[in-house]
Amino acid sequence: MSGQAKPSKVSASVDFARAGRQVGYLSAPHSRDGSGWGAARFPIAVFKNGTGPTLFLTGGNHGDEYEGQIALVKLIQGLDPQRIQGRVIVMPFLNFPAAVAGTRLSPIDGVNMNRAFPGDRDGTVTRMIADFIYRHILPLTDAVADLHSGGKSMYFSPFGAIHALDETAQMRRAEAALHAFDPPIALVLRELDAEGMLDSAVEGLGKVFVTTELGGGGTTSAATIAVAERGVRNLLIHFGLFEGKPQTRAGLGLPPMRRMTMPDDAYVVADDAGLLEMLVDIDGRVASGQPIAHIYRTDRPGDAPAVYRAGADGVLIGRAHLCRVEPGDFLAMVAREA
Ligand code: ZN
């Protein structure tokens, strides 16, 4: 990639080496009609004390996913740097312009931050920020937790996830971090499209990566925010950044974490346009071949609906949130108890 050796066009108002608490921003040049010499500012916080590992926590990678944004804003407001050993870097709104707009993609350049890695210093705003993160933040970190939800278009049974990795030791470390996060479901996730993700960028550098899908529909619940807040606190303790006892599901009287994997044919995708009727709700058990959804053609209401079936036995842990669907849309996702 040309230009990768050149310095980033993004500047940081925070000093990653300085002790204490800093709340500032990354600034990417963004000349536009209303601000000829303007910049786009992405909030960032750095907490550092003594020596120890560095944890990078991100929310709002997609702007319409809110548990991570809220939990990490609360962390920035509540974390006392004197009480940590090491460094915590927090970006609650990784794609800030998207978060402000309440959209998945950046309204500036239409780019999905989670398909922009490793970034491009000569690219648009989202790609410039991804390049800065890839070259200047990820090398500082030992582990990254990127908190997602379903956004406006999807809904998930709250789960935490890692990916299957060829490096066994790296996968074990990620698994230990995921179990420390202690989500309702701990899933080994297979992505539909992994290229350009922050996930793949971090894993490619040999570091620990944990992600979540905590709900969706463009909103939050008390329960899903609690999963995010408790998980982040447990991660800080897991990595030795923070003293204290992890808050476990058992200690809170919650059902134990369910370990799940993804079977082949886990994803169900629409071939038809129309109106989606889910036949099974989130967390419902399904058998391979069982009808799980109908799509009705609204232009031909007299026609029988297209029938969509589960491709595997398991539990329905994800679904489309919007009822209007098009060919190619994600409809549902099935996971299997490990
Ligand atoms: Zn997301």
Side-chain angles (χ1 to χ4, degrees):
M1 226 181 282
S2 70
Q4 284 301 293
K6 289 197 235 164
S8 172
K9 292 178 190 170
V10 172
S11 60
S13 73
V14 292
D15 177 350
F16 294 105
R18 193 198 300 164
R21 174 187 188 265
Q22 303 169 75
V23 182
Y25 50 84
L26 304 181
S27 182
H30 178 40
S31 177
R32 54 202 189 273
D33 286 337
S35 181
W37 292 358
R41 289 181 167 182
F42 290 63
I44 187 167
V46 182
F47 298 80
K48 189 174 185 299
N49 187 48
T51 52
T54 295
L55 186 58
F56 182 35
L57 300 169
T58 55
N61 183 332
H62 297 126
D64 61 351
E65 304 173 4
Y66 295 102
E67 282 83 358
Q69 298 184 37
I70 292 169
L72 295 182
V73 163
K74 290 173 79 172
L75 180 74
I76 290 172
Q77 294 180 10
L79 188 62
D80 176 359
Q82 297 297 324
R83 288 194 61 199
I84 65 167
Q85 273 304 317
R87 179 168 49 189
V88 185
I89 303 172
V90 190
M91 289 187 75
F93 319 105
L94 194 66
N95 197 341
F96 182 68
V100 170
T103 54
R104 181 174 180 83
L105 313 179
S106 173
I108 291 179
D109 52 18
V111 172
N112 179 348
M113 179 66 84
N114 219 26
R115 298 293 180 277
F117 285 88
D120 180 0
R121 57 96 61 195
D122 296 318
T124 57
V125 166
T126 310
R127 297 184 197 286
M128 276 190 258
I129 292 288
D131 168 66
F132 183 90
I133 290 168
Y134 187 77
R135 288 198 288 155
H136 297 286
I137 297 181
L138 297 191
L140 305 176
T141 67
D142 297 284
V144 179
D146 186 32
L147 305 178
H148 288 253
S149 313
K152 287 177 178 163
S153 71
M154 297 183 286
Y155 202 92
F156 295 100
S157 179
F159 67 79
I162 58 169
H163 300 101
L165 301 174
D166 294 335
E167 290 292 330
T168 317
Q170 185 188 2
M171 187 172 167
R172 291 278 165 271
R173 285 185 290 133
E175 200 167 40
L178 175 62
H179 291 175
F181 192 100
D182 200 21
I185 295 170
L187 178 70
V188 179
L189 183 63
R190 216 158 23 77
E191 304 282 352
L192 273 172
D193 170 26
E195 186 112 346
M197 295 179 78
L198 173 60
D199 317 41
S200 322
V202 174
E203 288 161 355
L205 295 170
K207 295 164 190 288
V208 168
F209 184 86
V210 173
T211 188
T212 64
E213 295 291 356
L214 294 177
T219 190
T220 65
S221 68
T224 54
I225 290 180
V227 171
E229 286 195 77
R230 196 169 59 79
V232 163
R233 185 176 179 280
N234 286 348
L235 273 187
L236 292 176
I237 294 168
H238 174 75
F239 286 104
L241 276 151
F242 196 73
E243 278 192 18
K245 271 203 156 90
Q247 287 182 345
T248 61
R249 298 182 59 76
L252 295 168
L254 297 168
M257 182 183 79
R258 296 190 288 169
R259 297 183 193 200
M260 294 195 176
T261 58
M262 292 184 65
D264 293 339
D265 298 320
Y267 289 104
V268 181
V269 175
D271 293 319
D272 304 272
L275 197 55
L276 174 66
E277 176 195 19
M278 290 302 297
L279 304 176
V280 178
D281 286 326
I282 283 287
D283 289 324
R285 288 205 169 273
V286 298
S288 181
Q290 175 186 337
I292 58 164
H294 289 152
I295 296 179
Y296 294 91
R297 282 183 62 163
T298 45
D299 58 334
R300 297 175 71 149
D303 286 8
V307 179
Y308 288 81
R309 297 171 191 279
D313 296 342
V315 179
L316 190 96
I317 64 160
R319 57 161 286 183
H321 183 66
L322 302 176
C323 281
R324 296 291 320 187
V325 295
E326 301 284 334
D329 285 354
F330 163 84
L331 292 184
M333 172 178 159
V334 171
R336 183 178 286 161
E337 232 119 8

